[in-house]
Amino acid sequence: MTDPASTALRTDHYELTMLSSALRDGTAHRHCVFEVFTRRLPDGRRYGVVGGVERLLEAVENFRFDERVLESLERDRVCDRRTLEWLANFRFAGDIDGYPEGELYFPGSPLLTVSGTFAEAVLLETVVLSILNHDSAVVAAATRMASAANGRRLIEMGSRRTHEESAVASARAAYLAGFAATSNLLAGARYGIPTAGTSAHAFTMLHDSEREAFESQVAALGADTTLLVDTYDITEGIRTAVEVAGTDLGSVRIDSGDVGVLARQAREQLDSLGATGTRIVVSGDLDEFAIASLRAEPVDVYGVGTSLVTGSGYPTCGMVYKLAEVDGRPVVKRSSHKESRGGSKNALRRHKPTGTALEEVVHRNGPGIEPPEAGPHDRFVQLPLVRGGERLDNLPGLEDNRQRLRHALVSLPWEGLKLSAGEPAIPTVFENF
Amino acid sequence: MTDPASTALRTDHYELTMLSSALRDGTAHRHCVFEVFTRRLPDGRRYGVVGGVERLLEAVENFRFDERVLESLERDRVCDRRTLEWLANFRFAGDIDGYPEGELYFPGSPLLTVSGTFAEAVLLETVVLSILNHDSAVVAAATRMASAANGRRLIEMGSRRTHEESAVASARAAYLAGFAATSNLLAGARYGIPTAGTSAHAFTMLHDSEREAFESQVAALGADTTLLVDTYDITEGIRTAVEVAGTDLGSVRIDSGDVGVLARQAREQLDSLGATGTRIVVSGDLDEFAIASLRAEPVDVYGVGTSLVTGSGYPTCGMVYKLAEVDGRPVVKRSSHKESRGGSKNALRRHKPTGTALEEVVHRNGPGIEPPEAGPHDRFVQLPLVRGGERLDNLPGLEDNRQRLRHALVSLPWEGLKLSAGEPAIPTVFENF
């Protein structure tokens, strides 16, 4: 239908009608600053985590209206000929600054700043928000899970519970948050994320006996594999598993029942059989609270699915893409009770000398505007990402951003890492408005 | 990276390790029946709605391991050489039967039955579940909204709140449920769904005054357009809108505040200005409950975003893909308290002579098995979809399935359409097991 790499139709109809009108009256060429932020975190969450920035930059690069895209817009009468001609040559040529992936954010944080003509900046709204709202929701949930797992290994296995393409982005978000691997093969191929998995209950049921299934798996994958022991009776399953694989058996997986109790029994049984090095993998409807509640149990690996890919109760973030400045002049919407601050912004994150974060100082930014004073432990959070339409070289990659998140979490006041509902870990303050 | 049309990597790692083991021991060629079902509906929901079947059939057709896919599997050491060779020639050659899109379902309904060798059927698990779980979650929420809207026009505008590709599937699901249009241009191009949209607050703020913005929009799009009147003061906005566009103004849109109160005031004001034919569009965090609560207000069109694309609290369905039969013999997992019934199944939906649905009779299905007796008002719910790997001709299309859903809702007992939490609208009973 259309070039699958083109992201130009991942756009709301109204972007193009606004563009038509603005091209006609000349305002399309006014210089604008749009910004992405969220007024609040999901109920009780103490921090947000930025995800999707790399995907977003790729989407901006591929935001081109090729022949087929233009034909479809013409056929569906989305916009007039003048607009179609303008779109044929479209290439985003503005600037983008933003929070990198793995950075924490708080209510009002200026997550992304897009500067350019109205025409070029307004077109990006939908695709930018889709990517940030989705990926940040998943990475936030994944971060809470990684934090609850306290160093134990996590495997993402939620592909089947979300759209097949969201599944790939979710696997990437989970890896960013510290998950060790994903079940999703496309995430492995596309992003180089380690993939993992061995067998499902169906594999055991396919065979005439559990023993035959285990024998087959060990013959194919070696004794270091993970045997799924809860298809029939778990105690018998573990006994058979060790008989078949020997005490070098890699892991057993338990996917149902009260996994805490079962893990303890499994550990005792494995130890009594001499399989003291065999790990225990648990899966089945785990979320960050379940993971935390299993801390005292002898679990080595968590497999997490549904709750991860659905953002653990918050499948989207409330990020919006708002016009903040027109030709250097701050603009705001004024109809509602919502407090808004116009103008281009950055944030300074202040820290104590110990490195603990103190506050998120959101401030006006731009030529002739004095930023707040930064102490030796403070840092401005946005990075330049795109200049004149060109993605900057040497932007941090997935592994860098994985480290960034790890360090950012350490900088939070200790209560900021609690899973329970509470206030944002640090306050947002507004300066120089 | 890989052929974007190929769906073969939308697969969990363990499907391929199971395949490796099963090819090695010969069980890969056993004839299997897998089935998709869900044990329960989301809390308090009274019916489920099937979505995604057409997308699923397309995914099965495109489930091919091309050169690049095979290279990536080899590089990542996902499976052995024998398995790679087998995959190179893979093409699903089995049968699929299932509930068509727009069909209602209940706990235990046999939504999809995949028959073939273990090898070919097990590979489809992840992509089949991704599509059905996502699309059915959205279509169920959309159906509740359409039901609450009671004939008023609904526009889907949630693209920005979900992954950019889920957005397209969500727009399609909303249309299936009876929405009139979507904001998503790619859904328009790909599926022929009507698209809609005119302008955002940014367009008004871009201009030196609201009046100039309205004049520009009316000049470009005509008086029949929709003017967004709540950027500054709504009363002034409506007055300006009618002054600019005249009493032929198509619609005004209100996107914030207490939209019920504002709609009433807007109606009075529009009528007093002589714009009695101007419609009122409301948007902004609407869900099925908000839509229902606006029934008494003079609202003509609802724009729905976040709650639609996130399944209104239930972003995924709990559908699973279970092995039900091996070489004609029913199989079940037995480790947990979950009640399972092996064997291939169909459902008979029984109705009263008035056409009201009575019960979902889930029953064993297959050669030599006597199905339950069907009365003149009853029907077997599954349709044949694929035979010998070939998608059947003349399967119902999106428009047919839209009608199917409309009729199916009429067949529910009246309390089945209530938005409040309750039991499934009809009971599921199991016969001939």
Side-chain angles (χ1 to χ4, degrees):
Chain A
M1 167 94 27
T2 55
D3 174 9
S6 166
T7 55
L9 287 182
R10 302 192 178 286
T11 301
D12 282 340
H13 187 118
Y14 80 179
E15 317 291 1
L16 295 190
T17 46
M18 286 193 276
L19 176 63
S20 291
S21 306
L23 283 172
R24 218 165 183 279
D25 74 13
T27 54
H29 309 296
R30 293 189 173 181
H31 186 268
C32 288
V33 176
F34 282 86
E35 69 175 17
V36 175
F37 67 99
T38 178
R39 290 181 197 281
R40 66 193 75 81
L41 299 174
D43 283 351
R45 290 278 181 91
R46 295 166 187 256
Y47 58 84
V49 185
V50 177
V53 178
E54 260 189 272
R55 297 211 307 117
L56 180 164
L57 296 176
E58 205 176 309
V60 171
E61 280 179 350
N62 293 323
F63 203 93
R64 306 288 184 91
F65 292 81
D66 61 26
E67 200 71 17
R68 278 181 301 178
V69 169
L70 292 169
E71 273 166 25
S72 103
L73 292 175
E74 187 165 21
R75 190 194 58 224
D76 296 346
R77 296 187 197 172
V78 175
C79 46
D80 58 14
R81 177 148 296 281
R82 180 209 310 250
T83 310
L84 293 173
E85 280 162 16
W86 188 90
L87 291 173
N89 301 310
F90 176 74
R91 197 183 171 299
F92 179 74
D95 297 341
I96 303 180
D97 297 79
Y99 281 39
E101 288 193 279
E103 183 58 85
L104 304 182
Y105 70 87
F106 303 94
S109 292
L111 302 172
L112 199 81
T113 305
V114 178
S115 314
T117 63
F118 177 78
E120 67 189 350
V122 77
L123 285 181
L124 302 182
E125 177 178 30
T126 307
V127 73
V128 159
L129 287 178
S130 289
I131 293 174
L132 290 178
N133 272 323
H134 175 268
D135 288 18
S136 302
V138 177
V139 75
T143 302
R144 285 162 59 85
M145 292 167 187
S147 175
N150 210 14
R152 288 176 176 172
R153 187 177 161 86
L154 287 155
I155 301 176
E156 188 283 307
M157 39 176 78
S159 294
R160 63 192 56 196
R161 301 296 190 176
T162 190
H163 184 284
E164 67 276 19
E165 194 50 50
S166 319
V168 185
S170 295
R172 184 178 176 284
Y175 184 74
L176 176 64
F179 277 55
T182 175
S183 64
N184 189 289
L185 289 174
L186 189 48
R190 198 182 280 172
Y191 300 117
I193 298 169
T195 63
T198 51
S199 60
H201 297 113
F203 184 76
T204 302
M205 289 152 67
L206 167 70
H207 288 82
D208 297 331
S209 69
E210 189 175 50
R211 177 177 299 270
E212 285 171 65
F214 289 175
E215 284 169 350
S216 166
Q217 186 178 324
V218 169
L221 305 177
D224 193 34
T225 190
T226 300
L227 293 173
L228 179 62
V229 293
D230 69 340
T231 305
Y232 305 120
D233 176 83
I234 296 188
T235 307
E236 210 179 300
I238 292 175
R239 189 184 314 123
T240 307
V242 177
E243 280 174 19
V244 168
T247 53
D248 288 340
L249 172 61
S251 313
V252 294
R253 178 160 78 100
I254 303 171
D255 185 50
S256 49
D258 182 338
V259 290
V261 173
L262 296 173
R264 218 174 319 144
Q265 291 172 353
R267 183 74 273 155
E268 281 168 20
Q269 189 185 357
L270 286 168
D271 290 348
S272 77
L273 295 169
T276 54
T278 300
R279 292 174 299 277
I280 297 176
V281 183
V282 300
S283 55
D285 290 332
L286 298 179
D287 62 12
E288 62 268 45
F289 301 103
I291 291 168
S293 76
L294 290 167
R295 270 198 200 170
E297 307 302 339
V299 171
D300 300 284
V301 183
Y302 301 98
V304 187
T306 308
S307 66
L308 178 94
V309 298
T310 57
S312 198
Y314 300 100
T316 188
C317 303
M319 294 177 191
V320 293
Y321 187 87
K322 291 291 175 198
L323 181 60
E325 207 173 285
V326 178
D327 284 342
R329 168 180 55 87
V331 296
V332 285
K333 174 171 174 291
R334 273 192 328 238
S335 69
S336 69
H337 57 284
K338 295 174 190 165
E339 206 181 352
S340 291
R341 289 174 183 80
S344 184
K345 303 173 189 68
N346 194 352
L348 176 71
R349 189 162 301 159
R350 290 200 203 276
H351 299 83
K352 293 187 198 174
T354 57
T356 303
L358 265 177
E359 56 185 16
E360 184 89 332
V361 183
V362 178
H363 60 87
R364 282 293 309 281
N365 192 32
I369 297 172
E370 191 73 30
E373 203 176 324
H377 307 287
D378 304 338
R379 60 186 174 81
F380 292 96
V381 190
Q382 284 195 345
L383 298 184
L385 301 171
V386 172
R387 284 293 172 268
E390 295 297 329
R391 181 177 172 158
L392 296 184
D393 289 340
N394 303 319
L395 290 181
L398 186 55
E399 294 294 339
D400 304 312
N401 292 330
R402 206 166 182 240
Q403 292 307 316
R404 178 191 311 280
L405 174 53
R406 194 189 291 251
H407 293 136
L409 289 172
V410 173
S411 79
L412 282 185
W414 69 270
E415 65 280 10
L417 289 174
K418 286 167 73 176
L419 294 180
S420 60
E423 294 301 308
I426 58 172
T428 305
V429 300
F430 294 88
E431 274 187 34
N432 82 358
F433 279 89
Chain B
M1 170 88 30
T2 55
D3 174 9
S6 165
T7 55
L9 287 181
R10 302 193 179 285
T11 300
D12 282 339
H13 188 119
Y14 79 179
E15 317 291 1
L16 296 191
T17 45
M18 285 192 277
L19 176 63
S20 292
S21 305
L23 283 172
R24 217 166 184 281
D25 74 13
T27 55
H29 309 295
R30 292 189 173 179
H31 186 269
C32 287
V33 176
F34 282 86
E35 70 175 16
V36 175
F37 68 98
T38 178
R39 290 180 197 281
R40 66 193 75 81
L41 299 175
D43 282 350
R45 290 280 182 87
R46 294 164 189 257
Y47 57 84
V49 185
V50 176
V53 178
E54 260 189 272
R55 298 210 308 114
L56 180 165
L57 295 177
E58 204 176 308
V60 170
E61 279 179 349
N62 292 322
F63 203 95
R64 306 289 183 93
F65 293 82
D66 62 26
E67 201 72 15
R68 279 182 302 179
V69 169
L70 292 170
E71 275 165 23
S72 103
L73 292 175
E74 188 164 21
R75 190 193 61 223
D76 297 346
R77 297 190 195 168
V78 175
C79 47
D80 58 14
R81 177 147 296 281
R82 180 211 311 249
T83 308
L84 293 173
E85 280 163 17
W86 188 88
L87 291 173
N89 300 311
F90 176 73
R91 197 186 173 297
F92 178 75
D95 297 341
I96 303 180
D97 297 78
Y99 279 39
E101 288 194 279
E103 184 57 87
L104 305 181
Y105 70 85
F106 303 94
S109 292
L111 300 172
L112 199 80
T113 304
V114 178
S115 315
T117 63
F118 177 78
E120 67 189 348
V122 78
L123 286 180
L124 301 182
E125 177 179 32
T126 307
V127 74
V128 159
L129 287 178
S130 289
I131 294 174
L132 290 178
N133 273 322
H134 175 269
D135 288 17
S136 302
V138 178
V139 75
T143 302
R144 285 163 59 86
M145 293 168 186
S147 173
N150 211 13
R152 289 177 177 172
R153 188 176 160 89
L154 287 155
I155 301 177
E156 188 282 307
M157 37 177 77
S159 294
R160 63 192 55 196
R161 300 298 190 175
T162 190
H163 183 283
E164 67 276 20
E165 194 51 50
S166 317
V168 185
S170 294
R172 184 179 177 283
Y175 184 74
L176 175 64
F179 277 54
T182 176
S183 64
N184 189 289
L185 290 174
L186 190 47
R190 198 182 281 172
Y191 299 118
I193 298 169
T195 63
T198 51
S199 61
H201 296 114
F203 184 75
T204 301
M205 291 152 66
L206 168 70
H207 288 82
D208 297 331
S209 69
E210 190 175 51
R211 179 178 298 271
E212 285 170 67
F214 288 175
E215 283 169 351
S216 168
Q217 187 178 324
V218 169
L221 306 177
D224 192 35
T225 190
T226 301
L227 292 173
L228 179 61
V229 293
D230 70 340
T231 305
Y232 305 120
D233 177 83
I234 295 186
T235 307
E236 212 178 298
I238 291 175
R239 189 183 315 121
T240 308
V242 176
E243 279 173 20
V244 168
T247 52
D248 286 342
L249 173 61
S251 313
V252 294
R253 178 159 78 100
I254 303 170
D255 185 50
S256 48
D258 183 338
V259 291
V261 173
L262 295 173
R264 218 175 318 144
Q265 292 171 354
R267 183 74 271 156
E268 281 168 19
Q269 189 185 355
L270 285 167
D271 289 348
S272 76
L273 295 169
T276 52
T278 300
R279 291 173 299 277
I280 297 176
V281 183
V282 301
S283 55
D285 290 333
L286 298 178
D287 62 10
E288 63 267 45
F289 301 102
I291 291 169
S293 76
L294 290 167
R295 270 198 200 171
E297 307 303 339
V299 171
D300 300 286
V301 183
Y302 302 97
V304 187
T306 309
S307 66
L308 179 94
V309 298
T310 57
S312 198
Y314 300 99
T316 189
C317 303
M319 294 178 192
V320 292
Y321 187 88
K322 290 292 175 197
L323 181 60
E325 206 172 288
V326 178
D327 285 342
R329 167 180 56 88
V331 295
V332 286
K333 174 171 173 290
R334 272 191 328 239
S335 69
S336 70
H337 56 286
K338 296 174 191 166
E339 206 181 352
S340 292
R341 289 176 183 79
S344 183
K345 303 174 189 65
N346 193 354
L348 176 71
R349 189 161 301 157
R350 288 200 204 276
H351 298 83
K352 292 187 199 175
T354 58
T356 302
L358 265 178
E359 57 184 16
E360 185 89 334
V361 183
V362 177
H363 60 87
R364 281 294 310 281
N365 192 31
I369 297 172
E370 191 73 29
E373 202 174 326
H377 306 285
D378 304 338
R379 62 188 172 83
F380 291 97
V381 190
Q382 285 196 343
L383 298 184
L385 302 171
V386 172
R387 284 292 174 269
E390 296 297 329
R391 182 177 172 158
L392 296 185
D393 289 340
N394 303 318
L395 290 180
L398 187 54
E399 295 295 340
D400 304 313
N401 291 330
R402 211 168 178 237
Q403 292 307 317
R404 177 191 312 280
L405 174 52
R406 193 189 291 251
H407 292 139
L409 289 172
V410 173
S411 79
L412 283 185
W414 70 270
E415 65 281 8
L417 289 173
K418 287 168 73 175
L419 294 180
S420 60
E423 294 302 307
I426 58 172
T428 305
V429 299
F430 294 88
E431 274 187 34
N432 81 0
F433 281 88

